[in-house]
Amino acid sequence: MIAEAKVGSEDLNLCFEKLMMVAAGNSGEGVKMEGMVITEWKDIPMELLLRIVSLVDDRTAIVASGVCSGWRDAICLGLTQLCLSWCRKNMNNLVLSLAPKFTKLQTLILRQENPQLEDNAVETIANFCHDLQDLDLSKSFKLSDRSLYALAHGCPNLTKLNISGCLSFSDEAVEYLTNFCRKLKILNLCGCVKAATDRALQAIGRNCNMLQSLNLGWCENVGDLGVMSLAYGCPDLRCLDLCGCVLITDDSVIALANECLHLRSLGLYYCRNITDRAMYSLAHSRVKNKPSMWQSMKGRYDEEGLRSLNISQCTALTPSAVQALCDTFPALHTCSGRHSLVMSGCWNLTSVHCVCAVQAHCT
Amino acid sequence: MSEVDMAVIKPEMMKSYIWLQTADGSIQQVEQEVAMFCPMICHEVIQKGMGSSKNYAISLPQRVNPAMLSLILDYCRFHQVPGRSNKERKSFDEKFIRMDTKRLCELTSAADSLQLKPLVDLTSRALARIIEGKTPEEIREIFHLPDDLTEEEKLEPLKNTTDDPRIRLLNRLYAKKRKELKEREKLKNVEVEEERVDDRSVDDLLSFINGDNGDSKGIKTSKSKKKNRRRKDQQKSTSANEANKNHSEESNGLNSLCHSSEVGQKIRPSIGATSNLQDVEDDIFANKNEFDDGDIDDEIDPALKEKLDREVEDFARRLNSDWPERMQEILSLGQERKAVHFPLNGNGSIRSRDDFKVRILPQLSSEPGQF
C-alpha cells in the first residue's frame, strides 16, 4: 500500500538522523524515535495480542517480543509456554537471553537433537523463571549436577520434569532436588543410570508424595529397596516404567500392588526375575481392595485398575498366572485393537487372552 | 397514525430492530436477528431490556466505531442465517478478512469488545499469519509500532551460521565505525588521549596500505574513499540499524575472549543446519547486502570498488588483531594477496564482484588464531 511505503521511507530518513545524533554523541543507548510513528493504531489490548501470539510458532513469538516496548511487556508478562527444540546450534545463548525476559514461563521445552544446553543456561532459568512447572531437559548431555542444584533452589513449583538422557546427573543431586521440588508429579529419569539409584528413589519416596508417573527405563542400578521405598512413599503412583531394571524381583511388584492402588501402567520389560508371585499379588490386591456393595466407590479403588502391562522377556511367567491377571483387570487387552498387555518374547504365554479376544473368537 | 394502522399498511415494518449507539454518538438501527448474533448486544437486550427504541439505544464499547460496526454486522448478517454450509461460511470468512492490517487490528479489537468469539478467532488467526516469519522491523512497519527498545532490550541475535561471514564482518565494522565516530566527537570536545591505538592511526594506516599496494591514485583517493566509506557506512547502517545494533550487542555480549577468537568462532561453524530464527537473521542481512551493492554502484566506479573492499578487509584486520602482528601482516600483505588461491565457501549464491571478498575471508576463517 502506498501509505505503508511512505512510512518505510520516513523510517529510513529518521534512522539516518538518529544515526547522526548517535555519531554526534547526543544520546547514549537507544534513541527514542519520537514524533516519527503514525500513532493512529489503537493498541491491541494485551489479551488480544497474547491470543495472537499463542497462535504463532515459538520463533515468531520470540521475534514479536523484540518489536516494541508495548509488545515486549505484553509478551513477557503473558507468555507461559515456550519450546526451543527447533534450535540446532544456539539454544544455550537463546535461553541465556530469553530466560531473564520471560519470567512467567510455566512450561519450557528444551529437548535437544544435539547437545547444546549448558549449566549456565539452566542456572539462568532457575534464577528468573520461578513459576516453572513443566521443564523438559531431555538429551542435555552437557548438563552437570550444578543444574539440578540450581533448579532445586529456583523452581520449587516443578510438577513435571524430564531429564531423560542427562547422563551426568548423580543420585545425590536428584536427592537434593526432591528435597525442594516436592510437588513433582511426573518425573522422567529414563537412561539416567547414575541418577536413578535406590538412594534417589528413597529420597523420592520420602519427599515427592504426589508423584504419579515415574520413568526409570534402562536404569540398571534400580533395585528392590528403591522401588519398595517408592511404593510406600508415593501412594498415588499411576505409571511406572521399570524397563531394563534387571535387578528388580517380585518384592518390588508386591509392594507396588499393595501400596499403589491407582497403578494403571507398569513396565517390566526385561525384568527377568519376575515370577508368577508378582502376577498373583497384583490380581489379589485388586480383589482385596474392591469395595463392597455398601461402600462408596470413590477413594482408593480405581475403577479400571491396570490398563497397560509390559512383561516382555519375563520368561519365568506361566500362562495361568498371567491369565488370572488378565481376567482380574478388564482394561488389559490382548486383542489387536487395544493391545495393552505386551508379552513379546514370552513364547509360553501365547495362550493368554483378554475377555474380548475370547468373545470375538467364540462369536 | 396508530401503530396498528401502520402495521396494516406496511407489513415489513413489523420486523423488529435494535438500536445501537457507537462511541461517536451516532445511532443506527439494525435487524434484530443480526444484532443479537453478538453476545454483548444479546445480553443488553435480554438482561437489561435496552435497544428497543432510539432513546434506549445500546451504547457500544468505545472500540467499536461505525466502520467496524458495519463490518461486524456484515459478518453477523451472513453467519446468523442457519442454512449455510460450512464451505460457504469458510469461503465468506476468507474473503471477509481481506483488508489492510490496520483495519484487521481494529476489527479484532471491536469484535472482542462485543464478545463475538468466532470473529475474534478469525481475525486473530489472520493477524497471526501476518506476523509469522517476519522480522521485528517488518512487524513494526506493518503495525506502525514505535521502535522504542534500547539496544540491550532488543533480542540478542543468534550466531549467524550462514556461509557468509563477510556480512557479519561488515556489520561489526559498521558498528565499530559508529562507535568510533561517537568517540571522535567526544575527543573533539574533551581532547583526551584515546587508549585505543587504532583510532589514532586510521588515516596513517590507510595511506600506508594504499602506498604499499601500489595504488596509483595515491593519498587523494584514500581520503575520498574514506569519506565514501564513512557515508556508505552510515547509509548502510540506517537500512538495517537494528541488525547492526544487534550485532554490536552480540559482540559485546558474547565477547568474553579477545576479538580474534570471536571472529574465528563465528566464522567457523558456518556450515550446517540453520534454525528458522537464523533464517530471519539472514533475511535482514540479505536485504542489507543488496543495499550495500546498490550503494557501491552509485558511489564508485568498479575499478575503485575492489580497492574499497580491500580496505574494508584491512579495517577488519586492524580491529581484530594486535598492533605488532598487524604490522607484520601488512608488510607481507602485498605478496600474500597475489600468491594465494582459496576455494570458495559453501555458499552458492556468491556474486561475481564479491569474489574477491570471498577469497580473502576464507583466510580469516581458516586461520582464526592469526588475528
Side-chain angles (χ1 to χ4, degrees):
Chain A
M1 286 194 70
I2 299 172
E4 281 171 346
K6 270 191 187 158
V7 172
S9 62
E10 275 180 59
D11 264 350
L12 282 176
N13 286 336
L14 281 149
C15 283
F16 182 69
E17 280 166 19
K18 169 177 158 184
L19 182 66
M20 295 316 293
M21 282 163 66
V22 170
N26 276 351
S27 68
E29 314 139 0
V31 179
K32 285 232 162 207
M33 307 261 259
E34 276 134 9
M36 161 222 168
V37 168
I38 287 83
T39 51
E40 285 121 23
W41 182 56
K42 292 164 184 60
D43 296 352
I44 275 191
M46 185 177 129
E47 317 84 53
L48 276 187
L49 179 61
L50 286 173
R51 175 203 290 261
I52 294 169
V53 169
S54 72
L55 294 172
V56 301
D57 60 287
D58 296 278
R59 175 186 64 83
T60 308
I62 295 171
V63 166
S65 72
V67 164
C68 68
S69 62
W71 283 35
R72 175 203 58 190
D73 293 341
I75 294 174
C76 289
L77 279 177
L79 195 70
T80 56
Q81 291 185 311
L82 194 60
C83 169
L84 297 179
S85 296
W86 43 269
C87 286
R88 294 297 158 98
K89 294 225 165 202
N90 295 295
M91 191 193 277
N92 203 57
N93 284 330
L94 202 53
V95 173
L96 283 172
S97 56
L98 291 181
K101 281 171 65 172
F102 298 140
T103 53
K104 305 286 176 191
L105 278 177
Q106 294 173 8
T107 301
L108 185 54
I109 310 294
L110 299 176
R111 181 182 178 84
Q112 296 135 78
E113 290 298 321
N114 46 307
Q116 301 163 60
L117 215 58
E118 294 169 20
D119 288 328
N120 58 353
V122 180
E123 282 169 349
T124 310
I125 295 171
N127 279 334
F128 288 98
C129 306
H130 300 297
D131 292 338
L132 207 57
Q133 295 174 17
D134 179 353
L135 182 59
D136 185 347
L137 295 173
S138 47
K139 297 175 79 174
S140 304
F141 297 132
K142 289 189 189 177
L143 293 183
S144 77
D145 285 345
R146 260 175 66 197
S147 291
L148 289 182
Y149 291 127
L151 284 175
H153 291 135
C155 304
N157 294 319
L158 275 178
T159 59
K160 187 172 171 191
L161 181 61
N162 185 341
I163 48 175
S164 69
C166 298
L167 305 170
S168 324
F169 289 152
S170 72
D171 57 356
E172 204 179 312
V174 172
E175 183 180 3
Y176 191 86
L177 182 79
T178 58
N179 270 319
F180 292 86
C181 298
R182 297 184 170 229
K183 300 184 194 172
L184 276 173
K185 287 193 179 159
I186 302 175
L187 183 57
N188 190 333
L189 300 173
C190 187
C192 298
V193 181
K194 271 175 62 183
T197 63
D198 285 347
R199 175 181 172 179
L201 289 178
Q202 284 174 311
I204 293 172
R206 266 198 313 272
N207 297 317
C208 303
N209 308 112
M210 297 194 276
L211 198 66
Q212 294 181 2
S213 170
L214 182 59
N215 187 332
L216 296 171
W218 312 109
C219 296
E220 303 160 337
N221 295 325
V222 168
D224 284 338
L225 182 60
V227 180
M228 286 167 74
S229 312
L230 192 67
Y232 285 114
C234 306
D236 210 16
L237 203 58
R238 294 166 197 213
C239 302
L240 182 60
D241 193 344
L242 295 168
C243 293
C245 299
V246 292
L247 301 174
I248 299 294
T249 71
D250 292 334
D251 292 337
S252 295
V253 182
I254 293 169
L256 288 168
N258 291 331
E259 302 300 321
C260 303
L261 301 177
H262 293 277
L263 203 58
R264 292 186 200 159
S265 166
L266 184 59
L268 297 169
Y269 173 46
Y270 230 84
C271 297
R272 289 269 168 87
N273 300 322
I274 300 297
T275 72
D276 289 348
R277 258 181 76 211
M279 298 296 109
Y280 282 125
S281 73
L282 282 168
H284 182 64
S285 156
R286 171 143 175 106
V287 170
K288 183 175 68 178
N289 286 302
K290 194 168 179 173
S292 69
M293 241 170 32
W294 314 111
Q295 275 177 314
S296 155
M297 288 290 271
K298 294 177 195 166
R300 301 185 78 196
Y301 186 74
D302 191 343
E303 188 61 58
E304 287 198 357
L306 210 55
R307 290 163 215 199
S308 163
L309 179 65
N310 188 339
I311 42 175
S312 306
Q313 301 290 342
C314 296
T315 46
L317 299 174
T318 66
S320 51
V322 182
Q323 187 62 61
L325 191 71
C326 204
D327 295 338
T328 318
F329 291 106
L332 280 181
H333 291 280
T334 57
C335 45
S336 55
R338 296 179 280 179
H339 197 166
S340 62
L341 177 58
V342 184
M343 301 176 287
S344 308
C346 300
W347 304 114
N348 57 338
L349 296 180
T350 48
S351 60
V352 177
H353 290 295
C354 63
V355 175
C356 27
V358 171
Q359 277 176 348
H361 181 73
C362 286
T363 54
Chain B
M1 270 185 153
S2 71
E3 273 188 16
V4 175
D5 293 337
M6 279 176 68
V8 167
I9 293 169
K10 295 178 184 174
E12 60 269 22
M13 287 192 66
M14 284 302 285
K15 201 174 180 186
S16 47
Y17 287 83
I18 308 247
W19 293 85
L20 303 173
Q21 180 176 27
T22 48
D24 62 341
S26 61
I27 301 176
Q28 55 181 280
Q29 57 177 356
V30 181
E31 304 94 307
Q32 182 176 351
E33 60 274 12
V34 174
M36 294 286 270
F37 200 68
C38 295
M40 183 253 169
I41 295 174
C42 199
H43 177 89
E44 290 283 309
V45 168
I46 293 177
Q47 305 263 0
K48 299 185 191 170
M50 298 283 288
S52 51
S53 69
K54 202 167 178 181
N55 292 334
Y56 294 97
I58 299 173
S59 299
L60 295 177
Q62 196 194 19
R63 287 188 261 161
V64 186
N65 59 39
M68 291 302 117
L69 180 62
S70 132
L71 277 175
I72 290 175
L73 292 175
D74 287 343
Y75 180 86
C76 295
R77 197 165 290 121
F78 182 86
H79 279 280
Q80 59 90 20
V81 176
R84 300 205 196 270
S85 72
N86 281 341
K87 201 173 173 184
E88 277 179 354
R89 292 185 192 269
K90 206 171 169 192
S91 154
F92 173 86
D93 285 348
E94 276 166 26
K95 287 187 201 134
F96 184 73
I97 52 166
R98 279 187 216 159
M99 60 182 80
D100 63 280
T101 314
K102 180 160 173 275
R103 276 162 74 88
L104 204 50
C105 289
E106 283 182 39
L107 184 58
T108 312
S109 189
D112 180 60
S113 66
L114 290 177
Q115 300 157 21
L116 191 54
K117 193 171 182 306
L119 186 53
V120 177
D121 286 344
L122 179 64
T123 46
S124 302
R125 268 182 277 126
L127 285 170
R129 279 199 298 271
I130 290 176
I131 306 180
E132 258 167 18
K134 299 273 194 319
T135 68
E137 287 160 53
E138 287 168 351
I139 297 178
R140 269 194 290 271
E141 217 176 283
I142 294 172
F143 291 90
H144 310 309
L145 295 167
D147 181 13
D148 57 359
L149 289 178
T150 65
E151 284 185 39
E152 283 80 27
E153 287 166 339
K154 282 184 182 156
L155 177 67
E156 215 177 78
L158 304 178
K159 284 180 179 172
N160 180 2
T161 59
T162 58
D163 298 343
D164 213 345
R166 120 186 87 127
I167 296 174
R168 235 181 295 124
L169 201 58
L170 279 172
N171 278 325
R172 222 174 306 126
L173 296 184
Y174 299 143
K176 293 209 159 80
K177 193 71 185 172
R178 274 208 323 278
K179 271 192 196 158
E180 253 183 46
L181 289 173
K182 212 163 116 185
E183 281 160 2
R184 224 170 264 142
E185 285 299 320
K186 285 183 186 162
L187 267 179
K188 281 180 189 168
N189 296 334
V190 182
E191 287 191 36
V192 175
E193 274 276 298
E194 275 289 322
E195 282 180 18
R196 288 175 56 188
V197 177
D198 299 345
D199 282 344
R200 257 180 282 141
S201 57
V202 171
D203 297 345
D204 296 344
L205 183 60
L206 282 174
S207 50
F208 183 87
I209 289 166
N210 290 334
D212 193 54
N213 286 344
D215 186 352
S216 55
K217 306 274 166 116
I219 294 169
K220 199 168 88 179
T221 314
S222 76
K223 277 193 185 152
S224 67
K225 268 185 240 173
K226 204 167 37 119
K227 257 191 238 158
N228 285 341
R229 182 151 35 102
R230 197 171 299 174
R231 210 169 358 136
K232 184 181 74 172
D233 290 351
Q234 289 163 359
Q235 282 183 344
K236 281 185 188 128
S237 302
T238 63
S239 67
N241 211 10
E242 286 81 24
N244 286 341
K245 280 199 213 156
N246 283 343
H247 263 281
S248 70
E249 172 63 27
E250 178 189 19
S251 31
N252 291 337
L254 300 173
N255 194 13
S256 54
L257 316 163
C258 58
H259 280 293
S260 55
S261 50
E262 182 192 3
V263 169
Q265 259 176 20
K266 284 183 185 152
I267 293 177
R268 213 184 291 120
S270 58
I271 303 155
T274 59
S275 76
N276 287 337
L277 190 45
Q278 288 156 4
D279 290 338
V280 169
E281 298 286 306
D282 296 349
D283 286 343
I284 300 175
F285 300 142
N287 290 336
K288 190 179 176 311
N289 205 34
E290 281 163 41
F291 195 85
D292 288 352
D293 296 332
D295 198 22
I296 291 176
D297 283 336
D298 292 338
E299 300 281 351
I300 322 155
D301 64 67
L304 282 172
K305 218 189 304 158
E306 267 199 4
K307 296 193 178 97
L308 189 71
D309 291 350
R310 242 177 272 158
E311 275 161 20
V312 168
E313 261 88 58
D314 293 327
F315 188 51
R317 292 171 190 225
R318 189 168 50 72
L319 291 173
N320 293 325
S321 62
D322 291 327
W323 180 247
E325 281 175 42
R326 200 184 337 129
M327 279 305 298
Q328 267 196 332
E329 203 210 326
I330 289 160
L331 289 169
S332 59
L333 198 60
Q335 290 160 349
E336 272 185 40
R337 274 202 183 130
K338 290 162 198 164
V340 186
H341 296 287
F342 297 104
L344 290 178
N345 259 349
N347 187 356
S349 60
I350 296 177
R351 284 161 287 220
S352 54
R353 62 190 170 203
D354 296 327
D355 282 352
F356 189 77
K357 274 190 203 162
V358 176
R359 257 180 272 132
I360 287 299
L361 280 162
Q363 184 191 26
L364 293 175
S365 68
S366 60
E367 302 174 72
Q370 192 174 348
F371 302 102

